[in-house]
């Protein structure tokens, strides 16, 4: 049975899952959830995803939500096809788990607020606060300075092999420029810039970045 992914083109987290499916060469179909119509809060959807959020994956009646959890499920279920994204060696796996924590606590926690301030606030009819955005970016840049040090010594966040931890940065990372900051692409951080540009250029991201569509 082909996997079914619920989401839409406005959801960075849905794109996070779609990219991993493409990297792992897993066919999937999508069901568009229309936020404007409130479909994510419909009783039939909330029965599958109790928080009324996307993405949601249906694997032949097995439902799993939260984009990072879905991505790990896919990477492990289809470990022997597509791009290897979870190390098998114990020490490499330890560094992978470390990188996952870094992405969640030292990147996502700091990039989500400024992106939401400028990109997503207008969708709710609210006016972005540019001063608040600038302050948030200052906090983010302090974390990115550490990334620069790490990436000056290795190709990827967990070592010299690509993992899920790297890919997880893309959905919000690509929105920082449109929001008004070049913090991820600046000569001040050449290794960070090299790393992020390589991630953006991956065919898997190019395949999902603009359109949320089935790939069967």
């Amino acid at each position: 049975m082909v996997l079914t992914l619920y989401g839409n083109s406005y959801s960075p987290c849905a794109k996070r899952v779609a990219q991993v499916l493409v990297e792992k060469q897993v066919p999937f179909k999508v069901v568009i959830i229309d936020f404007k119509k409130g479909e994510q809060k419909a009783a039939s959807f909330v029965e599958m995803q109790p928080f009324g959020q996307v993405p949601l994956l249906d694997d032949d009646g097995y439902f799993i939500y939260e984009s990072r959890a879905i991505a790990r499920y896919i990477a492990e279920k289809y470990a022997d096809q597509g791009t290897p994204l979870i190390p098998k060696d114990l020490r490499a796996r330890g560094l992978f788990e470390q990188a996952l924590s870094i992405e969640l606590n030292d990147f996502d926690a700091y990039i989500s607020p400024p992106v939401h301030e400028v990109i997503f606030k207008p969708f709710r009819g609210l006016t972005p606060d540019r001063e608040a955005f600038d302050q948030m970016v200052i906090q983010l840049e302090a974390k990115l300075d550490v990334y620069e040090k790490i990436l000056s010594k290795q190709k990827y966040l967990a070592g010299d092999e690509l993992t899920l931890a790297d890919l997880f940065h893309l959905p919000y990372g690509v929105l920082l420029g449109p929001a008004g900051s070049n913090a991820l692409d600046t000569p001040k951080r050449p290794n960070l810039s090299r790393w992020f540009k390589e991630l953006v250029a991956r065919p898997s991201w190019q395949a999902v970045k603009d359109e949320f569509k089935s790939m069967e």
Side-chain angles (χ1 to χ4, degrees), residues 164-178:
L164 284 176
D166 300 291
L167 300 183
F168 284 176
H169 292 75
L170 277 165
Y172 276 89
V174 297
L175 296 176
L176 189 63

Side-chain angles (χ1 to χ4, degrees), residues 40-62:
Q40 75 277 18
K41 301 300 181 183
S44 58
F45 186 75
V46 172
E47 188 172 337
M48 298 183 290
Q49 213 292 15
F51 292 100
Q53 301 169 343
V54 297
L56 167 71
L57 184 76
D58 175 4
D59 182 2
D60 195 18
Y62 170 74

